Structure formats: structure tokens, C-alpha cells
Amino acid sequence: MSELVTYSRDGDIGVITVNHPPVNALSVAVRQGLKDCAEALENDPKAKAGILICEGRTFIAGADITEFGKVQRGPTFHQALNILEGLKKPVVAAIHGTALGGGLETALCCHYRCAVPSAQVGLPEVKLGLLPGAGGTQRLPRLVGVPIALDMITTGEPIPAAQAQKLGVIDKVIEGDLRAGAIAFAKQLVQEKKPLRKVRDLEDKIKPLRGNKQIFDDYRKSMAHRARGFEAPYAIVDCIDAAVNMPFDQGIAFEQKGIATLMAGLQSQAQRYMFFAEREAAKIPDVPKDTPVAKVKRAAVLGAGTMGGGIAMNFANAGIPVYLLDTAKEQLDRGVDIIRKNYTNTMQKGRLTQAELDRRMALITPTLDEKVMGEADFVVEAVFEEMGLKKEVFAKLDRICRKDAIMATNTSTLNVDEIAAATSRPDKVIGTHFFSPANVMRLVEVVRGRKSSKETIATAMALSKTLGKIGVLVGVCDGFVGNRILHQRNREANFLLEEGALPEQVDKVLFDFGLPMGPFAMGDMAGLDVSWRIRKGQAASRPKDERYSTLADQVCEMGRYGQKTGAGWFKYEGGSRTPVPDPLITKLIEVESKRLGIARRKITDEEIIARLIYPMINEGAKILQEGMALRASDIDVIWVYGYGWPKYRGGPMFYGDSIGLNNVYTAMKKFEGEFGKSFAPAPLLEKLAKAGKTFQSHAAGA
Ligand code: 3H9
């Protein structure tokens, strides 16, 4: 019998225990163990019923994702789980932590389910580009009904025990000791001679919908926005349709076909890669796991502008008291008003209660008194993006902050080392580049200064997690990782306009690729004047032989700064945020092409993708080579969580791997010949392409 799953008995109740840290994933050995132990329970004459319980921090959290895409050995999921469901003695699943995916599917094959109040259950396979493939799409609708099953499985969001009980997923919530409670529950079932309740046989929730296709058509339409580009959510709806309209075993066969197709597809490969990439990002080779992490019990944010306010909200959301500091009362009041408005919006959408809103607002203390910074364990500076000002602020922080406090700058462009040098303790200085809007976007680039200490890095990374963010460590370079890559794309986008494209065409191609918007709508949203100011500052140092498009400058010179002025690359009518193509801009672009002596030509969608995305991959290769990112997958995490790169394409580096680095390299070489040295392939790209390798194999040291 497997050591990971054991069978024992407590009185007349058989106990199957899974102990496979960290998350009791259903690996081949666990499936084999479950099968063996279910047989042991059946054959144990002294056992009248059984419980299935897990050691460690959680119930079974799903299939073992590392086994996906490999040849399956041992018993299949169905072979292991069907035995449980087919037992002639009642089995109770005893859930703590999270019963997710195959874990919940295992529990659904038990005859009854109980859970501690803090437990959660869900079918998150969709987040891996998959569908529940161990009967989840067929059993859950039988238990909770079609509308709820559709929501739960297409979003993948878990639900807490109390809600699960209301919906019928869980039969009993157990306060106190789970094992004892589950055994008592199993005894009660035996005493009361309760039937073997097999979910597969339940019909009352699905029968009334038989033949009703409309409900599924409507649902497909309703998820069009959130599921745009993804295959799995649609395959899930098809499976739930099958659960309603096919006999159980036929539905299971349909589900198995569905998961096999998704599993073999590129989308699921990309999404599984992202699952591990997110977790990898937290690992820093020279900052070991046991590096001391400072406790952040109180924080301070300097600057009550949009960024500062958003960052303060993150602390409040995580239950950490935070001072919000500014130099002028008016700015401070405006910042607090915006925070309150943001929370009120969330409350009006039903995602926050009034009590929770009040609690979070109470955690934010607005103040003009800089002395309070001396109380903070972690200070984030979010003042205007200007080096002189930042240095002044950090010199002041150095005087006021406690010696053990960490001082972070939220700069998106400035040199963290130079800022750190304004203090007497550069080891305590680090960059935390939150993405805008800071209370919504999950990415934080944690910028490691040359002198940032390991403790400072470990604390900033741990804090990102506490704030519900994904922290990715990057080095000090122009634009750090995300914006440095973005710059490549935006520069090429402007050149495409000069050569024959229009903003609406470029944006549409990138939208169809899966991004939330293209570079021109994005510029209009962010405000075109910001980068204009930066470009003006850099004008003197720009190499004379470098191609430079003045189009963006010309748009700004017309007073068109984007959405905030009602016009930028597009026009925005009546306060709307919908970009509308503007003939004035078309004219401006055409005149510019003429002035440059460029004969405008038709630019294909394929060329737009190649011209915009291959230089991003190339820049990623340079970043890797310089060590500004630790691994290609970190760059992908940055692009997925900071810029909305479609998860199902796994980030620009994964995308490069998937289309073949040799193809990227060959195209870059060709572009270099046509358009100049900005397309020169990075040496790392060249090396990997010529060796037929990928960024992933490079990251793994292969
Ligand atoms: C499925 O079930 C398909 C079925 O329908 C059957 C099809 C036939 N496998 O997240 P953490 C690792 S699909 C392998 O940091 P937390 C993880 O990589 C699956 N490894 O912990 C990490 O490793 P490391 C459906 C897994 O406490 C370590 O465990 N289920 C798996 O923050 C700790 O993880 C899911 O999608 C796995 N399934 O969060 C659930 N899960 O330390 C996926 C985790 O080396 N898991 N690892 O970096 C989760 O959502 C979270 O891990 C969980 C714990 C909430 C459970």
C-alpha cells in the first residue's frame, strides 16, 4: 500500500488518510493509494462506513499538474474515484483547506461531504486552460443546478464552506476537530441507515432543463467579454450541456474527450506554464527562503496622488494601518476622496460591505505631519517622478525613519541606485513599481538596487504577496523590465504609421491578438503628455543616426493628450472612453509620410504582429542576458499581470518559444536589413535560435 495514502480504523469507521505534501495533489501514487484504500475499506468487515481525510494544510488541491502532458501511468482518475463512489459503505469526505479540481471531484465521488468553516471548494481547471476531467462537469450540476455550476466552473472561483453548504455541495459544517466530527457524522449516517447518496444518480436539478439549449446559448453570450479568446470556458459550457442532455456515462465520455483536446492544446500549455511561472517568480536564487523578513505592522505612503492613494488602499485591504502623507491639505483631501469613491464603487457592485468599507477607511490615516513616518516599518514614496525631488524626499526619510525601516520608491523610470545614494542606508532602499491603477493591477516590479540587502528584498517580495500582488524582482535599467519592453513595441507602432498603417488598424490587430487594447488607445488612456515630457528631456542625448518618429510629439503639440483632453490618437466624444478614429489624425499621418518621402503601403496584420511583438521578445532576450530579469518566465509574469498580455499565450517569451525562436530570429534579421539596427537580434536570441532551443530550456539551464 502507498505510504501517501493509508487505511486505518477508528472503532467501526474506516479512515483513509492522504498525506502528500505540500497540497496532497492526486499524483499517480495517490490515485493508486486511494484505489487500494477504498478496496481495504470495502474488505474490512469491522468498518461500517469510512471517511476520507487529508494531513497537512489542505484537502486534495487537485490533480498533480506536473504530470500533465506526460504519459499517464497507474490508475486513471475515473478508475480511482469510481471505486469510492461504488463502495457499499457510506464514505464521507472531510475537507479542510481547499478541495480544488480533482480534489473536489474526489469529494463528489464520496457519498457525503463535511468541512471546517474555513474550507473552500472549487473547480479551478479553467484557470489552467482545462475543464474538470474527473467527472466535475457532470456531477456538480447534478448537485447545485446548472446556473451555479456554469458560474463556478467557467470562472474557477472557489466558494467558502458556508456557501457550499447552502448550495448542497457540503452536507455538514464541522466546528472543532474535523476528524472527530467526520467520524461522528459517518456513525450517524450508519445509525440512521442513510442511503449511499451517489451524485451521479441525482436528477432533480437537471431534468427540468433537458432539451433547453437556450440557457447555454445565453450563457455563452453572457461570458463573451470575460472569456474572450479562451477555449476552455466554452468547452465547459458544452460539457454542462452534455450533463443535462446525455446519460451520465455518455456525459463522462464527452467530458474526457473535451479535456484531452484542451490538454493537448497550446492554450492550456501556456496557462499551466503561467501557474508555475507565478510561483517561480517568488524564488530568488541568492535570497534563500530562510532570509529574515521584517514584519510590516504599519506602513506609510508619501504622496496622495493617484498612485499613492492606490498603494495606500492595498495596505488597508490587507489590514495594515497606513499613513497617507502629502504636503498640501487640498491634495490630501482630494486623495482621500478618491479612495472613498473607489471603495464606494466596489460596494455598489456588491463586492464590499459598508462595515468593511468603514474598516478599511479607518486603517488609512491622512496626515500632513511627516514625523509619523518614524512609526512606519515600510515606507513607499510615490511623489512626482523627478530625480531632484525624489532625492530630497529620501534624504528626509533617512533622517526621520527608524533605522530598521525599509524605504521604497515607486518610481517607474528613475535610477533606484541614485535615489538610494541620497540616504545613509542604501541597503534599506528598494524600488516597488506598482502598476496603475495600483489598487487593481496585480503586478509589482520589485527593483533591486545595487546595495539593497537580502532582507530588504525578501521583505518587499513577501509584502507584495501579503498585499495580494505578484512581486517580480527586476534590476535597475531604463524602464525596468515591463516598460523597457513596452517602449520597443510603441516605437515600432509609430513607424508603422509612417509606413502605411493607421492607429485603429494597429490597435485592432493587437486587440484581436488578445491584449486589452492596442498601443494608441493605451497611450490615450495613460495620457500622452507624460512620455512627451520624458522624450523632450532625452532629446539632447538621442543618437542622430537613430530613426525617430515625431508623430506622437505632433499629436501632443495639437493639445491632444488623450482621453483627458477628449482627443489624442483617437477622439472621445461626449466624455466617452470609446476611441473613435479621427480623420484629422489620418491626415496628420499621411502628411508626415509625405514629408519623410515614404510611399505609404498596405501593411498586413501579420506584419503588424511581427513588427510589434518580435522586438519585444528580442528586448526580453537582452534583459535576460544582462540579468535584469532572473528568468524568461518572470518577464512573462510581468507582461501578463502588468499589461494584460493574454494568459492563453503565456507572455511574450513563451509566445516566442511557441512560434519558434528561429522564426523570430529570421524575421528580426530580415527587418534589420530593411529597417535598420534597432532590429538587430540579441546575441542570446541568436544563440538559442541557432541551437534550436527555447527561452524555457535556457531558464532551466539546459
Ligand atoms: C485538475 O485537478 C484536473 C482534474 O479535473 C483531473 C483531470 C483528469 N499540482 O500555490 P502554492 C505546488 S487540475 C502540482 O505556493 P498556497 C506549487 O507549485 C488542478 N503542484 O501554495 C508549489 O510548489 P513550490 C486543479 C502543485 O498555499 C506548492 O505546491 N487544482 C499543485 O499559496 C505550494 O503551492 C488547482 O488548480 C498541483 N495541483 O496555495 C489548484 N498545486 O513550493 C492549484 C500546488 O515548489 N493550486 N502545487 O513552488 C492552488 O491553487 C494553490 O496551490 C493552493 C495552495 C490554493 C492549493
Side-chain angles (χ1 to χ4, degrees), residues 491 543 545-546 618 622 671-673 675-681:
R491 196 198 51 203
D545 60 341
E546 195 178 86
N618 197 45
K622 289 181 194 168
F671 289 148
E672 184 187 9
F675 308 113
K677 65 178 185 208
S678 67
F679 281 97

Side-chain angles (χ1 to χ4, degrees), residues 435-436 441-443 522 637-645:
F435 278 61
S436 182
M441 298 299 284
R442 289 197 60 206
L443 179 69
M522 185 175 166
V637 172
I638 288 173
W639 264 79
V640 166
Y641 288 102
Y643 302 85
W645 178 281

Side-chain angles (χ1 to χ4, degrees), residues 100-115:
L100 298 177
L104 179 57
E105 291 172 301
T106 305
L108 293 180
C109 286
C110 295
H111 305 108
Y112 295 89
R113 286 154 294 281
C114 63

Side-chain angles (χ1 to χ4, degrees), residues 22-23 25-26 57-58 61-66 68 72 77 98 100-103 105 123-125 128 130-134 259 263 275-276 279-280 283 289 465:
V23 297
L26 277 174
R57 65 197 212 218
T58 180
D64 185 338
I65 305 168
T66 59
F68 289 170
Q72 207 185 35
F77 286 83
T98 43
L100 298 177
E105 291 172 301
L123 293 173
E125 286 85 345
L128 301 169
L130 295 173
L131 52 85
I259 190 172
M263 187 76 82
F275 176 86
F276 291 110
R279 283 154 182 84
E280 266 315 282
K283 296 171 192 157
K289 240 179 154 179
K465 192 165 183 194

Side-chain angles (χ1 to χ4, degrees), residues 546-566:
E546 195 178 86
R547 182 174 173 186
Y548 177 81
S549 171
T550 62
L551 275 171
D553 300 340
Q554 292 184 48
V555 174
C556 288
E557 280 154 18
M558 293 161 81
R560 300 173 66 121
Y561 296 165
Q563 284 187 18
K564 62 185 168 190
T565 57

Side-chain angles (χ1 to χ4, degrees), residues 112 187-196:
Y112 295 89
K187 283 190 171 163
Q188 184 193 342
L189 294 171
V190 174
Q191 259 164 22
E192 294 177 3
K193 296 199 171 55
K194 289 281 188 208
L196 293 175

